[in-house]
């Protein structure tokens, strides 16, 4: 419950002033504010020095929640050491910079763990190492200015697919004492609350001898399923970059946890659903409420549950198009850069978690000095009860022996 932040009378959200070219910063800050757990954690942070990023985020969130006007971000830029607000920066870079500087209670909501495994194909010896991540980088392997659609699902599948290193790419094996063919794979060992995917659109073009932006539409599933945990994520934010490598503009498209509507955050301007017209808004909301089975990832393999037939549903969120396959819904966005999912729990998962927590609370509340009434089965299997009974019997036996000794001494006298 996030009652301290939720306003039942909310009529909209406040924007952020662009100090010159700080749209990259405004976009990331709004994604932080629009997640209830992140917002609540920042609100609950202890008081710190005014120059700290934690203090400035807490102050900004209070202004966004309670203020009636566009909020200032000068405290944030000063805290981050941004000296030139007229120079555009990379949104992903400052996403990481903020989370590395903020209180760990906030950053851990975004931090996950990857397990990287290498296996020698000669002796089959395996080595693993763990690495932390704030986002998962997905290379956009599509030709520059191609009309080909990039699939986030395919990008994730490629990221987790095992690969074989051979020839010049062989790795040295200590056991074999030689370079050998090696299999490598990456798995998720620990999932974060917020799963962020970084679409690496900027690549070096050897023909132009410069970096270029890969402009292509991106198909983004509304939900992702991770089988091992099990974990289910829902799409809640898309950070967009409109423009080229040399310059452009950032804005965000975010789903509200308070009214389930989508909003376009463009610096000081915030629009519900990013479009005008209540008829279109109603039509889009109806599309989003359809349940999606999503995509399943497990132990380095992926399974596609989309089916074969595609059908396109009308809709455009400032060039954001809704497409619907047999089982899954997607957003098709021409300029997605950061894609954010937040963890949601199935009802049965939540019920199981509650039961587990209740059981743990009961066990923690039991004192070893007190014998609580339990059922027959629990008595039979409870080692504490057996020890207590054994101790009681020993005490009774000692008392009997002491009484007998006293009687013998009296008779002798």
């Amino acid at each position: 419950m996030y009652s301290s932040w939720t306003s039942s009378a909310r009529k909209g959200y406040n924007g952020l002033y662009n100090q010159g070219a700080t749209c990259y910063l405004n976009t990331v800050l709004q994604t932080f504010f629009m997640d209830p757990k992140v917002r609540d954690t920042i609100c609950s942070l202890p008081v710190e020095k005014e120059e700290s990023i934690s203090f400035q985020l807490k102050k900004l969130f209070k202004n966004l929640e309670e203020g009636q006007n566009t909020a200032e971000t000068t405290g944030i830029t000063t805290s981050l050491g941004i000296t030139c607000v007229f120079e555009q920066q990379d949104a992903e870079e400052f996403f990481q910079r903020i989370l590395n500087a903020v209180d760990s209670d906030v950053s851990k909501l975004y931090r996950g763990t990857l397990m990287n495994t290498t296996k020698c194909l000669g002796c089959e010896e395996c080595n693993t190492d763990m690495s932390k991540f704030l986002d998962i980088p997905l290379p956009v392997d599509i030709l520059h200015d191609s009309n080909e659609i990039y699939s986030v699902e395919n990008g994730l599948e490629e990221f987790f697919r095992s690969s074989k290193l051979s020839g010049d790419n062989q790795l040295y094996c200590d056991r074999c004492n030689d370079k050998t063919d090696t299999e490598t794979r990456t798995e998720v060992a620990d999932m974060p609350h917020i799963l962020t995917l970084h679409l690496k659109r900027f690549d070096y073009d050897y023909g132009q001898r410069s970096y270029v932006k890969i402009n292509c539409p991106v198909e983004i599933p509304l939900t992702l399923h991770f089988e091992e945990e099990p974990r289910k994520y829902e799409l809640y934010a898309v950070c967009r970059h409109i423009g080229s490598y040399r310059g452009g503009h950032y804005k965000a498209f975010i789903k509200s946890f308070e009214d389930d509507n989508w909003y376009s955050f463009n610096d000081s301007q915030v629009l519900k659903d990013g479009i005008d017209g209540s008829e279109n808004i109603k039509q889009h909301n109806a599309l989003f409420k359809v349940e999606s089975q999503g995509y399943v990832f497990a132990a380095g393999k992926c399974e596609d549950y989309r089916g074969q037939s595609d059908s396109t549903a009308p809709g455009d969120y400032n060039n954001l198009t809704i497409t619907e396959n047999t089982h899954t819904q997607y957003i098709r966005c021409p300029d997605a850069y950061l894609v954010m999912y937040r963890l949601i729990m199935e009802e049965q998962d939540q019920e199981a978690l509650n039961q587990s927590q209740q059981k743990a609370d009961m066990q923690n509340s039991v004192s070893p000095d007190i014998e609580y009434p339990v059922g027959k089965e629990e008595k039979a299997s409870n080692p504490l009860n057996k020890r207590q009974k054994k101790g009681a019997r020993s005490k009774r036996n000692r008392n009997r022996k002491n009484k007998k000794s006293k009687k013998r001494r009296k008779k002798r006298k």
Side-chain angles (χ1 to χ4, degrees):
M1 297 295 292
Y2 304 93
S3 56
S4 61
W5 286 104
T6 304
S7 172
S8 59
R10 178 181 289 284
K11 295 182 180 180
Y13 292 98
N14 295 316
L16 298 172
Y17 280 115
N18 189 328
Q19 299 180 48
T22 56
C23 54
Y24 63 92
L25 182 63
N26 292 347
T27 299
V28 171
L29 292 173
Q30 291 286 17
T31 66
F32 292 157
F33 179 74
M34 291 296 287
D35 179 77
K37 198 166 186 178
V38 176
R39 197 191 299 185
D40 189 64
T41 302
I42 289 176
C43 171
S44 305
L45 291 176
V47 178
E48 295 190 16
K49 295 181 180 179
E50 187 173 350
E51 61 268 20
S52 72
I53 187 63
S54 297
F55 178 91
Q56 293 299 331
L57 283 173
K58 189 172 181 179
K59 179 181 177 181
L60 175 66
F61 282 15
K62 183 177 181 181
N63 291 337
L64 285 173
E65 178 67 20
E66 299 177 357
Q68 301 298 320
N69 302 310
T70 304
E72 294 276 0
T73 59
T74 51
I76 299 288
T77 53
T78 301
S79 176
L80 292 173
I82 301 174
T83 56
C84 181
V85 295
F86 297 98
E87 180 181 0
Q88 189 174 103
Q89 305 284 349
D90 182 68
E92 192 271 342
E93 177 187 340
F94 277 82
F95 165 79
Q96 296 231 16
R97 184 183 292 191
I98 292 172
L99 291 178
N100 284 322
V102 76
D103 189 278
S104 60
D105 286 343
V106 179
S107 60
K108 72 180 181 181
L109 298 174
Y110 291 82
R111 201 179 302 278
T113 306
L114 294 176
M115 181 172 67
N116 306 300
T117 304
T118 58
K119 178 182 178 182
C120 173
L121 298 181
C123 65
E124 296 190 348
E125 182 181 72
C126 290
N127 294 292
T128 60
D129 67 86
M130 301 295 187
S131 59
K132 299 290 185 180
F133 71 90
L134 291 172
D135 60 46
I136 294 178
L138 300 180
V140 181
D141 296 325
I142 291 178
L143 293 176
H144 175 51
D145 285 334
S146 170
N147 291 325
E148 183 180 352
I149 298 173
Y150 176 82
S151 168
V152 167
E153 293 174 338
N154 292 342
L156 280 168
E157 180 180 4
E158 187 65 28
F159 184 84
F160 290 109
R161 179 181 287 125
S162 61
S163 61
K164 180 181 178 181
L165 303 178
S166 58
D168 293 338
N169 297 321
Q170 286 182 331
L171 297 181
Y172 184 83
C173 174
D174 291 331
R175 177 179 289 184
C176 298
N177 196 25
D178 197 4
K179 286 188 174 182
T180 62
D181 290 350
T182 306
E183 181 183 76
T184 65
R185 69 177 183 271
T186 299
E187 302 172 44
V188 180
D190 183 37
M191 298 296 299
H193 169 69
I194 300 290
L195 177 65
T196 304
L197 307 178
H198 174 208
L199 306 185
K200 301 185 71 174
R201 286 183 173 270
F202 302 107
D203 195 15
Y204 189 79
D205 188 313
Y206 288 93
Q208 300 184 31
R209 296 184 179 182
S210 65
Y211 280 93
V212 296
K213 179 186 175 183
I214 301 173
N215 291 303
C216 66
V218 178
E219 193 172 67
I220 308 167
L222 293 185
T223 57
L224 291 175
H225 291 246
F226 286 79
E227 192 176 60
E228 291 173 320
E229 298 289 344
R231 294 291 179 94
K232 180 180 179 181
Y233 286 85
E234 71 165 356
L235 178 70
Y236 93 96
V238 179
C239 297
R240 308 169 60 187
H241 179 268
I242 301 97
S244 66
Y245 172 75
R246 300 187 180 280
H249 180 64
Y250 286 97
K251 60 182 179 179
F253 183 64
I254 309 175
K255 182 180 181 180
S256 168
F257 68 92
E258 294 171 309
D259 60 16
D260 284 335
N261 287 310
W262 289 80
Y263 290 80
S264 173
F265 291 83
N266 186 7
D267 290 331
S268 59
Q269 185 183 51
V270 181
L271 296 177
K272 185 176 181 181
D273 286 327
I275 55 175
D276 296 320
S278 58
E279 182 178 350
N280 287 333
I281 292 174
K282 182 178 180 181
Q283 181 184 20
H284 293 314
N285 285 344
L287 289 172
F288 271 111
K289 290 180 180 178
V290 178
E291 178 61 19
S292 166
Q293 292 185 16
Y295 210 70
V296 177
F297 294 88
K301 67 176 182 179
C302 307
E303 298 178 26
D304 191 347
Y305 280 75
R306 290 180 296 171
Q308 300 300 320
S309 63
D310 292 349
S311 63
T312 301
D316 189 321
Y317 294 85
N318 287 343
N319 297 324
L320 288 175
T321 306
I322 302 299
T323 61
E324 182 177 3
N325 288 344
T326 305
H327 299 296
T328 307
Q329 282 193 306
Y330 303 84
I331 286 179
R332 184 172 294 174
C333 177
D335 40 43
Y337 186 57
L338 292 176
V339 179
M340 299 181 180
Y341 290 86
R342 62 175 151 228
L343 179 66
I344 55 176
M345 299 189 70
E346 305 283 8
E347 291 183 5
Q348 58 268 30
D349 295 334
Q350 184 64 58
E351 184 178 352
L353 181 63
N354 292 338
Q355 291 176 355
S356 176
Q357 186 63 45
Q358 289 174 2
K359 186 176 180 180
D361 292 342
M362 290 179 62
Q363 290 176 348
N364 293 334
S365 64
V366 174
S367 170
D369 299 328
I370 303 174
E371 184 176 358
Y372 288 88
V374 294
K376 293 181 179 179
E377 293 181 3
E378 188 173 351
K379 282 184 177 181
S381 61
N382 193 337
L384 179 63
N385 292 333
K386 290 180 181 179
R387 289 196 299 269
Q388 288 177 335
K389 290 179 179 179
K390 186 176 179 179
R393 285 196 298 268
S394 299
K395 187 175 181 179
R396 287 195 296 270
N397 291 335
R398 287 195 299 271
N399 290 337
R400 291 194 190 102
K401 290 179 180 179
N402 291 335
K403 288 180 181 180
K404 289 180 180 180
S405 298
K406 288 179 181 179
K407 288 180 180 179
R408 291 193 193 101
R409 286 196 294 271
K410 286 181 181 180
K411 287 181 180 180
R412 289 172 185 171
K413 292 179 179 179

